[in-house]
Amino acid sequence: EDQVTQSPEALRLQEGESSSLNCSYTVSGLRGLFWYRQDPGKGPEFLFTLYSAGEEKEKERLKATLTKKESFLHITAPKPEDSATYLCAVQAGTASKLTFGTGTRLQVTL
Amino acid sequence: GAGVSQTPSNKVTEKGKYVELRCDPISGHTALYWYRQSLGQGPEFLIYFQGTGAADDSGLPNDRFFAVRPEGSVSTLKIQRTERGDSAVYLCASKRGLAEPGELFFGEGSRLTVL
């Protein structure tokens, strides 16, 4: 069974304090790993797709990286508007469904 | 509208009642998904439609849950004999046919509370 584990569960940063979120996965035949952002009361919003180990994607203050066992979401000089829950998901084999982790709840304060 | 629309946004019902949740995907998106999200958890897959047919319904928890998409656009998730454990946010997502596999557009969800 595909498993996705995210850590930490919650993270509190001061504005400008860079950090990383972790997503470790166990899956048979990874087709893709995906990062989403979810604001309270909203649906998840797609951020990145990573397909193979060594791949990196960037968007503003966010950079996602992938190894054979885990993915990191690096947040550089975060701002309060980056506060959200960040979800990691995997797609395996021939399945169309995504398997999500439980997310990391990020709070960025002034 | 520009995004995925879900109605109702909130539904409170009594145990044993029947509930329908509606999803209107982005125009032209052929793939449609239903997920369920409990408090503090990630979304959990329920069912996937490609066009009018359910291509994968392996996530439906039992036969009380059923979903349709008769014309390949709007979808309805139907829950019979609701139980308190069905309380969750039900999320709908759609995708363009040629989009990257995980690039789903989610609606804001329908929050179901079963008393």
Side-chain angles (χ1 to χ4, degrees):
Chain A
E1 185 178 332
D2 304 333
Q3 286 195 328
V4 179
T5 303
Q6 293 189 244
S7 62
E9 287 186 12
L11 181 63
R12 186 182 173 111
L13 300 174
Q14 287 198 319
E15 185 175 14
E17 181 186 0
S18 302
S19 188
S20 296
L21 313 182
N22 177 266
C23 170
S24 62
Y25 61 90
T26 303
V27 63
S28 179
L30 181 72
R31 285 179 62 194
L33 184 142
F34 313 96
W35 284 97
Y36 282 80
R37 168 191 171 127
Q38 187 172 27
D39 292 299
K42 306 289 187 182
E45 176 188 352
F46 172 78
L47 292 174
F48 302 112
T49 301
L50 299 165
Y51 290 110
S52 56
E55 190 174 359
E56 298 184 353
K57 293 275 179 72
E58 283 190 68
K59 180 179 180 180
E60 296 181 353
R61 295 176 291 283
L62 301 177
K63 183 169 80 171
T65 62
L66 181 65
T67 72
K68 289 187 177 179
K69 293 182 179 181
E70 57 192 349
S71 177
F72 292 93
L73 185 66
H74 307 277
I75 304 177
T76 301
K79 298 183 177 182
E81 53 262 43
D82 295 322
S83 298
T85 295
Y86 291 86
L87 295 164
C88 171
V90 298
Q91 186 177 22
T94 57
S96 297
K97 68 177 185 180
L98 301 186
T99 300
F100 283 85
T102 55
T104 292
R105 195 169 60 254
L106 174 66
Q107 183 180 13
V108 182
T109 60
L110 293 170
Chain B
V4 176
S5 176
Q6 292 190 245
T7 54
S9 55
N10 276 288
K11 176 72 176 178
V12 180
T13 192
E14 292 180 343
K15 180 176 179 295
K17 298 290 188 181
Y18 170 80
V19 166
E20 287 191 353
L21 307 176
R22 175 189 166 105
C23 173
D24 198 344
I26 294 171
S27 177
H29 282 199
T30 56
L32 186 146
Y33 300 76
W34 285 98
Y35 283 81
R36 176 168 71 173
Q37 188 172 26
S38 300
L39 192 63
Q41 302 297 310
E44 175 191 22
F45 171 77
L46 295 176
I47 188 169
Y48 157 58
F49 287 90
Q50 181 58 47
T52 60
D56 182 357
D57 65 357
S58 63
L60 294 178
N62 52 58
D63 62 6
R64 295 187 297 106
F65 288 75
F66 189 70
V68 295
R69 195 185 184 199
E71 298 179 356
S73 179
V74 171
S75 176
T76 304
L77 178 66
K78 307 180 181 191
I79 310 173
Q80 297 178 321
R81 303 183 305 280
T82 52
E83 299 178 356
R84 293 193 180 88
D86 298 335
S87 296
V89 176
Y90 289 81
L91 294 165
C92 176
S94 68
K95 182 173 79 69
R96 289 184 296 115
L98 297 180
E100 293 181 342
E103 191 173 346
L104 303 182
F105 290 82
F106 281 87
E108 296 195 346
S110 292
R111 181 177 298 277
L112 175 66
T113 303
V114 182
L115 301 177

